mmCIF file of all heavy atoms in Angstrom:
data_model
loop_
_atom_site.group_PDB
_atom_site.id
_atom_site.type_symbol
_atom_site.label_atom_id
_atom_site.label_comp_id
_atom_site.label_asym_id
_atom_site.label_seq_id
_atom_site.Cartn_x
_atom_site.Cartn_y
_atom_site.Cartn_z
ATOM 1 N N THR X 1 39.163 -25.812 -3.155
ATOM 2 C CA THR X 1 40.101 -24.701 -2.924
ATOM 3 C C THR X 1 41.486 -25.001 -3.488
ATOM 4 O O THR X 1 42.154 -24.088 -3.983
ATOM 5 C CB THR X 1 40.207 -24.352 -1.425
ATOM 6 O OG1 THR X 1 40.639 -25.502 -0.692
ATOM 7 C CG2 THR X 1 38.895 -23.842 -0.883
ATOM 8 N N VAL X 2 41.911 -26.261 -3.435
ATOM 9 C CA VAL X 2 43.206 -26.617 -4.023
ATOM 10 C C VAL X 2 43.148 -26.455 -5.541
ATOM 11 O O VAL X 2 44.093 -25.951 -6.165
ATOM 12 C CB VAL X 2 43.632 -28.040 -3.619
ATOM 13 C CG1 VAL X 2 44.801 -28.531 -4.442
ATOM 14 C CG2 VAL X 2 43.976 -28.078 -2.141
ATOM 15 N N MET X 3 42.043 -26.875 -6.142
ATOM 16 C CA MET X 3 41.891 -26.709 -7.594
ATOM 17 C C MET X 3 41.921 -25.228 -7.972
ATOM 18 O O MET X 3 42.532 -24.847 -8.976
ATOM 19 C CB MET X 3 40.583 -27.347 -8.075
ATOM 20 C CG MET X 3 40.568 -28.855 -7.989
ATOM 21 S SD MET X 3 41.725 -29.629 -9.115
ATOM 22 C CE MET X 3 40.947 -29.276 -10.674
ATOM 23 N N LEU X 4 41.268 -24.398 -7.169
ATOM 24 C CA LEU X 4 41.276 -22.963 -7.460
ATOM 25 C C LEU X 4 42.650 -22.354 -7.214
ATOM 26 O O LEU X 4 43.055 -21.426 -7.919
ATOM 27 C CB LEU X 4 40.237 -22.244 -6.592
ATOM 28 C CG LEU X 4 38.778 -22.492 -6.939
ATOM 29 C CD1 LEU X 4 37.872 -21.849 -5.902
ATOM 30 C CD2 LEU X 4 38.456 -21.973 -8.325
ATOM 31 N N SER X 5 43.362 -22.867 -6.230
ATOM 32 C CA SER X 5 44.654 -22.287 -5.876
ATOM 33 C C SER X 5 45.749 -22.601 -6.887
ATOM 34 O O SER X 5 46.653 -21.798 -7.095
ATOM 35 C CB SER X 5 45.109 -22.798 -4.506
ATOM 36 O OG SER X 5 44.233 -22.349 -3.507
ATOM 37 N N TYR X 6 45.706 -23.783 -7.490
ATOM 38 C CA TYR X 6 46.829 -24.190 -8.338
ATOM 39 C C TYR X 6 46.468 -24.361 -9.814
ATOM 40 O O TYR X 6 46.880 -23.542 -10.627
ATOM 41 C CB TYR X 6 47.498 -25.432 -7.744
ATOM 42 C CG TYR X 6 48.073 -25.123 -6.380
ATOM 43 C CD1 TYR X 6 47.436 -25.537 -5.225
ATOM 44 C CD2 TYR X 6 49.230 -24.373 -6.251
ATOM 45 C CE1 TYR X 6 47.949 -25.224 -3.971
ATOM 46 C CE2 TYR X 6 49.752 -24.042 -5.013
ATOM 47 C CZ TYR X 6 49.103 -24.479 -3.876
ATOM 48 O OH TYR X 6 49.605 -24.157 -2.653
ATOM 49 N N PRO X 7 45.711 -25.377 -10.225
ATOM 50 C CA PRO X 7 45.514 -25.548 -11.671
ATOM 51 C C PRO X 7 44.672 -24.452 -12.327
ATOM 52 O O PRO X 7 44.875 -24.136 -13.490
ATOM 53 C CB PRO X 7 44.809 -26.898 -11.806
ATOM 54 C CG PRO X 7 44.722 -27.487 -10.461
ATOM 55 C CD PRO X 7 45.152 -26.479 -9.470
ATOM 56 N N LEU X 8 43.748 -23.860 -11.584
ATOM 57 C CA LEU X 8 42.878 -22.845 -12.169
ATOM 58 C C LEU X 8 43.290 -21.419 -11.808
ATOM 59 O O LEU X 8 42.541 -20.475 -12.044
ATOM 60 C CB LEU X 8 41.430 -23.092 -11.724
ATOM 61 C CG LEU X 8 40.846 -24.455 -12.105
ATOM 62 C CD1 LEU X 8 39.461 -24.626 -11.527
ATOM 63 C CD2 LEU X 8 40.830 -24.633 -13.613
ATOM 64 N N ALA X 9 44.462 -21.262 -11.244
ATOM 65 C CA ALA X 9 44.906 -19.946 -10.774
ATOM 66 C C ALA X 9 45.025 -18.925 -11.902
ATOM 67 O O ALA X 9 44.816 -17.730 -11.683
ATOM 68 C CB ALA X 9 46.239 -20.074 -10.045
ATOM 69 N N ASN X 10 45.314 -19.381 -13.104
ATOM 70 C CA ASN X 10 45.464 -18.446 -14.237
ATOM 71 C C ASN X 10 44.163 -17.750 -14.592
ATOM 72 O O ASN X 10 44.180 -16.693 -15.214
ATOM 73 C CB ASN X 10 45.994 -19.185 -15.465
ATOM 74 C CG ASN X 10 47.404 -19.679 -15.261
ATOM 75 O OD1 ASN X 10 48.147 -19.122 -14.471
ATOM 76 N ND2 ASN X 10 47.752 -20.730 -15.972
ATOM 77 N N PHE X 11 43.041 -18.341 -14.211
ATOM 78 C CA PHE X 11 41.741 -17.770 -14.550
ATOM 79 C C PHE X 11 41.198 -16.848 -13.463
ATOM 80 O O PHE X 11 40.118 -16.281 -13.628
ATOM 81 C CB PHE X 11 40.729 -18.892 -14.811
ATOM 82 C CG PHE X 11 41.157 -19.814 -15.913
ATOM 83 C CD1 PHE X 11 41.617 -21.083 -15.623
ATOM 84 C CD2 PHE X 11 41.119 -19.407 -17.241
ATOM 85 C CE1 PHE X 11 42.018 -21.944 -16.635
ATOM 86 C CE2 PHE X 11 41.526 -20.250 -18.254
ATOM 87 C CZ PHE X 11 41.976 -21.518 -17.950
ATOM 88 N N LEU X 12 41.924 -16.707 -12.359
ATOM 89 C CA LEU X 12 41.452 -15.916 -11.223
ATOM 90 C C LEU X 12 42.291 -14.657 -11.055
ATOM 91 O O LEU X 12 43.459 -14.616 -11.428
ATOM 92 C CB LEU X 12 41.532 -16.744 -9.932
ATOM 93 C CG LEU X 12 40.733 -18.039 -9.894
ATOM 94 C CD1 LEU X 12 41.026 -18.798 -8.611
ATOM 95 C CD2 LEU X 12 39.256 -17.768 -10.018
ATOM 96 N N SER X 13 41.669 -13.657 -10.441
ATOM 97 C CA SER X 13 42.423 -12.443 -10.106
ATOM 98 C C SER X 13 43.348 -12.739 -8.937
ATOM 99 O O SER X 13 43.223 -13.770 -8.264
ATOM 100 C CB SER X 13 41.456 -11.317 -9.733
ATOM 101 O OG SER X 13 40.783 -11.647 -8.528
ATOM 102 N N MET X 14 44.269 -11.824 -8.683
ATOM 103 C CA MET X 14 45.212 -12.011 -7.579
ATOM 104 C C MET X 14 44.478 -12.097 -6.238
ATOM 105 O O MET X 14 44.819 -12.923 -5.384
ATOM 106 C CB MET X 14 46.234 -10.871 -7.558
ATOM 107 C CG MET X 14 47.300 -11.029 -6.504
ATOM 108 S SD MET X 14 48.258 -12.558 -6.655
ATOM 109 C CE MET X 14 49.241 -12.184 -8.074
ATOM 110 N N GLN X 15 43.448 -11.277 -6.051
ATOM 111 C CA GLN X 15 42.680 -11.304 -4.805
ATOM 112 C C GLN X 15 41.975 -12.647 -4.627
ATOM 113 O O GLN X 15 41.930 -13.190 -3.514
ATOM 114 C CB GLN X 15 41.650 -10.165 -4.768
ATOM 115 C CG GLN X 15 42.251 -8.787 -4.670
ATOM 116 C CD GLN X 15 42.658 -8.222 -6.023
ATOM 117 O OE1 GLN X 15 42.444 -8.832 -7.064
ATOM 118 N NE2 GLN X 15 43.280 -7.048 -6.000
ATOM 119 N N SER X 16 41.453 -13.183 -5.706
ATOM 120 C CA SER X 16 40.782 -14.479 -5.633
ATOM 121 C C SER X 16 41.773 -15.598 -5.336
ATOM 122 O O SER X 16 41.466 -16.533 -4.590
ATOM 123 C CB SER X 16 40.054 -14.784 -6.944
ATOM 124 O OG SER X 16 39.053 -13.837 -7.180
ATOM 125 N N GLN X 17 42.962 -15.499 -5.899
ATOM 126 C CA GLN X 17 43.996 -16.498 -5.614
ATOM 127 C C GLN X 17 44.409 -16.461 -4.147
ATOM 128 O O GLN X 17 44.572 -17.511 -3.509
ATOM 129 C CB GLN X 17 45.220 -16.262 -6.497
ATOM 130 C CG GLN X 17 45.001 -16.596 -7.942
ATOM 131 C CD GLN X 17 46.248 -16.344 -8.760
ATOM 132 O OE1 GLN X 17 47.360 -16.542 -8.285
ATOM 133 N NE2 GLN X 17 46.064 -15.904 -10.001
ATOM 134 N N ILE X 18 44.563 -15.272 -3.610
ATOM 135 C CA ILE X 18 44.914 -15.131 -2.193
ATOM 136 C C ILE X 18 43.810 -15.710 -1.320
ATOM 137 O O ILE X 18 44.078 -16.448 -0.360
ATOM 138 C CB ILE X 18 45.192 -13.648 -1.851
ATOM 139 C CG1 ILE X 18 46.468 -13.177 -2.546
ATOM 140 C CG2 ILE X 18 45.289 -13.438 -0.343
ATOM 141 C CD1 ILE X 18 46.691 -11.684 -2.494
ATOM 142 N N ALA X 19 42.574 -15.399 -1.657
ATOM 143 C CA ALA X 19 41.438 -15.929 -0.896
ATOM 144 C C ALA X 19 41.383 -17.452 -0.970
ATOM 145 O O ALA X 19 41.096 -18.121 0.033
ATOM 146 C CB ALA X 19 40.137 -15.324 -1.413
ATOM 147 N N ALA X 20 41.678 -18.007 -2.135
ATOM 148 C CA ALA X 20 41.671 -19.460 -2.290
ATOM 149 C C ALA X 20 42.767 -20.113 -1.456
ATOM 150 O O ALA X 20 42.543 -21.161 -0.830
ATOM 151 C CB ALA X 20 41.835 -19.831 -3.765
ATOM 152 N N HIS X 21 43.940 -19.505 -1.407
ATOM 153 C CA HIS X 21 45.037 -20.042 -0.599
ATOM 154 C C HIS X 21 44.701 -19.971 0.897
ATOM 155 O O HIS X 21 44.958 -20.918 1.641
ATOM 156 C CB HIS X 21 46.341 -19.299 -0.882
ATOM 157 C CG HIS X 21 47.020 -19.746 -2.130
ATOM 158 N ND1 HIS X 21 47.847 -20.841 -2.175
ATOM 159 C CD2 HIS X 21 46.993 -19.254 -3.390
ATOM 160 C CE1 HIS X 21 48.302 -21.000 -3.408
ATOM 161 N NE2 HIS X 21 47.796 -20.043 -4.164
ATOM 162 N N ILE X 22 44.133 -18.857 1.321
ATOM 163 C CA ILE X 22 43.743 -18.720 2.731
ATOM 164 C C ILE X 22 42.635 -19.711 3.060
ATOM 165 O O ILE X 22 42.656 -20.352 4.118
ATOM 166 C CB ILE X 22 43.318 -17.269 3.022
ATOM 167 C CG1 ILE X 22 44.528 -16.344 2.938
ATOM 168 C CG2 ILE X 22 42.651 -17.166 4.393
ATOM 169 C CD1 ILE X 22 44.193 -14.874 2.989
ATOM 170 N N ALA X 23 41.681 -19.877 2.149
ATOM 171 C CA ALA X 23 40.586 -20.833 2.376
ATOM 172 C C ALA X 23 41.112 -22.255 2.469
ATOM 173 O O ALA X 23 40.595 -23.062 3.257
ATOM 174 C CB ALA X 23 39.557 -20.713 1.259
ATOM 175 N N THR X 24 42.144 -22.576 1.717
ATOM 176 C CA THR X 24 42.745 -23.912 1.782
ATOM 177 C C THR X 24 43.278 -24.190 3.189
ATOM 178 O O THR X 24 43.054 -25.269 3.744
ATOM 179 C CB THR X 24 43.880 -24.048 0.750
ATOM 180 O OG1 THR X 24 43.349 -23.820 -0.558
ATOM 181 C CG2 THR X 24 44.523 -25.413 0.802
ATOM 182 N N ILE X 25 43.944 -23.219 3.767
ATOM 183 C CA ILE X 25 44.486 -23.385 5.114
ATOM 184 C C ILE X 25 43.369 -23.525 6.142
ATOM 185 O O ILE X 25 43.415 -24.394 7.021
ATOM 186 C CB ILE X 25 45.413 -22.198 5.467
ATOM 187 C CG1 ILE X 25 46.624 -22.186 4.543
ATOM 188 C CG2 ILE X 25 45.834 -22.246 6.933
ATOM 189 C CD1 ILE X 25 47.433 -20.918 4.601
ATOM 190 N N ILE X 26 42.344 -22.695 6.032
ATOM 191 C CA ILE X 26 41.235 -22.732 6.985
ATOM 192 C C ILE X 26 40.466 -24.044 6.881
ATOM 193 O O ILE X 26 40.130 -24.670 7.895
ATOM 194 C CB ILE X 26 40.307 -21.519 6.770
ATOM 195 C CG1 ILE X 26 41.052 -20.233 7.160
ATOM 196 C CG2 ILE X 26 39.011 -21.659 7.567
ATOM 197 C CD1 ILE X 26 40.335 -18.964 6.780
ATOM 198 N N VAL X 27 40.180 -24.477 5.664
ATOM 199 C CA VAL X 27 39.434 -25.720 5.475
ATOM 200 C C VAL X 27 40.245 -26.916 5.965
ATOM 201 O O VAL X 27 39.689 -27.853 6.549
ATOM 202 C CB VAL X 27 39.000 -25.877 3.997
ATOM 203 C CG1 VAL X 27 38.393 -27.232 3.744
ATOM 204 C CG2 VAL X 27 38.006 -24.792 3.629
ATOM 205 N N ALA X 28 41.558 -26.893 5.770
ATOM 206 C CA ALA X 28 42.403 -27.980 6.280
ATOM 207 C C ALA X 28 42.308 -28.053 7.804
ATOM 208 O O ALA X 28 42.238 -29.146 8.382
ATOM 209 C CB ALA X 28 43.845 -27.781 5.837
ATOM 210 N N ALA X 29 42.293 -26.911 8.464
ATOM 211 C CA ALA X 29 42.149 -26.891 9.923
ATOM 212 C C ALA X 29 40.783 -27.433 10.343
ATOM 213 O O ALA X 29 40.675 -28.173 11.328
ATOM 214 C CB ALA X 29 42.337 -25.474 10.447
ATOM 215 N N LEU X 30 39.744 -27.109 9.595
ATOM 216 C CA LEU X 30 38.401 -27.608 9.910
ATOM 217 C C LEU X 30 38.309 -29.123 9.719
ATOM 218 O O LEU X 30 37.589 -29.802 10.470
ATOM 219 C CB LEU X 30 37.354 -26.886 9.060
ATOM 220 C CG LEU X 30 37.155 -25.404 9.398
ATOM 221 C CD1 LEU X 30 36.240 -24.750 8.366
ATOM 222 C CD2 LEU X 30 36.619 -25.231 10.800
ATOM 223 N N ILE X 31 39.019 -29.643 8.738
ATOM 224 C CA ILE X 31 39.065 -31.102 8.555
ATOM 225 C C ILE X 31 39.693 -31.759 9.781
ATOM 226 O O ILE X 31 39.185 -32.763 10.294
ATOM 227 C CB ILE X 31 39.851 -31.475 7.280
ATOM 228 C CG1 ILE X 31 39.056 -31.099 6.037
ATOM 229 C CG2 ILE X 31 40.183 -32.963 7.253
ATOM 230 C CD1 ILE X 31 39.820 -31.247 4.738
ATOM 231 N N LYS X 32 40.772 -31.183 10.263
ATOM 232 C CA LYS X 32 41.460 -31.742 11.429
ATOM 233 C C LYS X 32 40.575 -31.688 12.669
ATOM 234 O O LYS X 32 40.521 -32.644 13.441
ATOM 235 C CB LYS X 32 42.777 -31.005 11.665
ATOM 236 C CG LYS X 32 43.783 -31.242 10.573
ATOM 237 C CD LYS X 32 44.989 -30.356 10.725
ATOM 238 C CE LYS X 32 45.887 -30.495 9.508
ATOM 239 N NZ LYS X 32 47.041 -29.622 9.560
ATOM 240 N N ILE X 33 39.876 -30.581 12.871
ATOM 241 C CA ILE X 33 38.974 -30.463 14.017
ATOM 242 C C ILE X 33 37.845 -31.481 13.917
ATOM 243 O O ILE X 33 37.489 -32.135 14.910
ATOM 244 C CB ILE X 33 38.421 -29.027 14.122
ATOM 245 C CG1 ILE X 33 39.543 -28.063 14.500
ATOM 246 C CG2 ILE X 33 37.279 -28.943 15.131
ATOM 247 C CD1 ILE X 33 39.187 -26.605 14.374
ATOM 248 N N SER X 34 37.278 -31.648 12.734
ATOM 249 C CA SER X 34 36.204 -32.631 12.539
ATOM 250 C C SER X 34 36.691 -34.037 12.831
ATOM 251 O O SER X 34 35.969 -34.843 13.427
ATOM 252 C CB SER X 34 35.672 -32.565 11.106
ATOM 253 O OG SER X 34 35.125 -31.316 10.830
ATOM 254 N N TYR X 35 37.911 -34.333 12.441
ATOM 255 C CA TYR X 35 38.461 -35.667 12.678
ATOM 256 C C TYR X 35 38.666 -35.920 14.172
ATOM 257 O O TYR X 35 38.382 -37.008 14.671
ATOM 258 C CB TYR X 35 39.774 -35.852 11.920
ATOM 259 C CG TYR X 35 40.326 -37.245 12.062
ATOM 260 C CD1 TYR X 35 39.731 -38.313 11.405
ATOM 261 C CD2 TYR X 35 41.412 -37.502 12.881
ATOM 262 C CE1 TYR X 35 40.217 -39.598 11.548
ATOM 263 C CE2 TYR X 35 41.906 -38.791 13.028
ATOM 264 C CZ TYR X 35 41.303 -39.829 12.360
ATOM 265 O OH TYR X 35 41.772 -41.104 12.511
ATOM 266 N N VAL X 36 39.143 -34.910 14.888
ATOM 267 C CA VAL X 36 39.330 -35.057 16.334
ATOM 268 C C VAL X 36 37.985 -35.260 17.025
ATOM 269 O O VAL X 36 37.856 -36.118 17.906
ATOM 270 C CB VAL X 36 40.088 -33.834 16.909
ATOM 271 C CG1 VAL X 36 40.058 -33.841 18.429
ATOM 272 C CG2 VAL X 36 41.514 -33.813 16.402
ATOM 273 N N VAL X 37 36.975 -34.500 16.633
ATOM 274 C CA VAL X 37 35.635 -34.679 17.209
ATOM 275 C C VAL X 37 35.119 -36.081 16.911
ATOM 276 O O VAL X 37 34.542 -36.744 17.782
ATOM 277 C CB VAL X 37 34.661 -33.602 16.671
ATOM 278 C CG1 VAL X 37 33.225 -33.908 17.066
ATOM 279 C CG2 VAL X 37 35.064 -32.228 17.167
ATOM 280 N N ARG X 38 35.356 -36.563 15.712
ATOM 281 C CA ARG X 38 34.944 -37.921 15.336
ATOM 282 C C ARG X 38 35.629 -38.961 16.214
ATOM 283 O O ARG X 38 34.998 -39.898 16.707
ATOM 284 C CB ARG X 38 35.279 -38.159 13.867
ATOM 285 C CG ARG X 38 34.915 -39.518 13.349
ATOM 286 C CD ARG X 38 35.317 -39.606 11.864
ATOM 287 N NE ARG X 38 34.905 -40.856 11.291
ATOM 288 C CZ ARG X 38 35.685 -41.944 11.247
ATOM 289 N NH1 ARG X 38 36.898 -41.907 11.744
ATOM 290 N NH2 ARG X 38 35.243 -43.058 10.700
ATOM 291 N N CYS X 39 36.927 -38.800 16.439
ATOM 292 C CA CYS X 39 37.675 -39.743 17.280
ATOM 293 C C CYS X 39 37.181 -39.732 18.719
ATOM 294 O O CYS X 39 37.042 -40.781 19.346
ATOM 295 C CB CYS X 39 39.164 -39.427 17.236
ATOM 296 S SG CYS X 39 39.952 -39.832 15.670
ATOM 297 N N VAL X 40 36.899 -38.545 19.253
ATOM 298 C CA VAL X 40 36.394 -38.441 20.624
ATOM 299 C C VAL X 40 35.036 -39.123 20.749
ATOM 300 O O VAL X 40 34.785 -39.862 21.710
ATOM 301 C CB VAL X 40 36.323 -36.954 21.065
ATOM 302 C CG1 VAL X 40 35.551 -36.805 22.365
ATOM 303 C CG2 VAL X 40 37.707 -36.371 21.194
ATOM 304 N N CYS X 41 34.165 -38.924 19.775
ATOM 305 C CA CYS X 41 32.847 -39.559 19.804
ATOM 306 C C CYS X 41 32.974 -41.080 19.714
ATOM 307 O O CYS X 41 32.274 -41.804 20.437
ATOM 308 C CB CYS X 41 31.967 -39.052 18.671
ATOM 309 S SG CYS X 41 31.451 -37.350 18.883
ATOM 310 N N GLN X 42 33.832 -41.553 18.855
ATOM 311 C CA GLN X 42 34.028 -42.998 18.749
ATOM 312 C C GLN X 42 34.568 -43.566 20.049
ATOM 313 O O GLN X 42 34.156 -44.649 20.473
ATOM 314 C CB GLN X 42 34.986 -43.327 17.599
ATOM 315 C CG GLN X 42 34.370 -43.183 16.243
ATOM 316 C CD GLN X 42 35.342 -43.522 15.135
ATOM 317 O OE1 GLN X 42 36.524 -43.202 15.215
ATOM 318 N NE2 GLN X 42 34.848 -44.171 14.104
#
């Protein structure tokens, strides 16, 4: 999503760029949740 949001943004439509930026935020939150679950399990 970061690659789509920044270096490849010229090849995407505006709607796709917006979706990529929103997906970056959502995926970052999912990484954080996964890490917390991992810490609790450990």
Side-chain angles (χ1 to χ4, degrees):
T1 59
V2 168
M3 291 293 290
L4 289 173
S5 295
Y6 297 103
L8 301 176
N10 293 334
F11 302 106
L12 301 175
S13 66
M14 184 58 73
Q15 292 84 3
S16 297
Q17 289 180 35
I18 292 169
H21 280 276
I22 292 171
T24 301
I25 296 168
I26 292 170
V27 172
L30 291 172
I31 289 172
K32 293 172 188 177
I33 292 169
S34 298
Y35 184 73
V36 169
V37 170
R38 180 180 184 268
C39 289
V40 169
C41 290
Q42 285 180 322

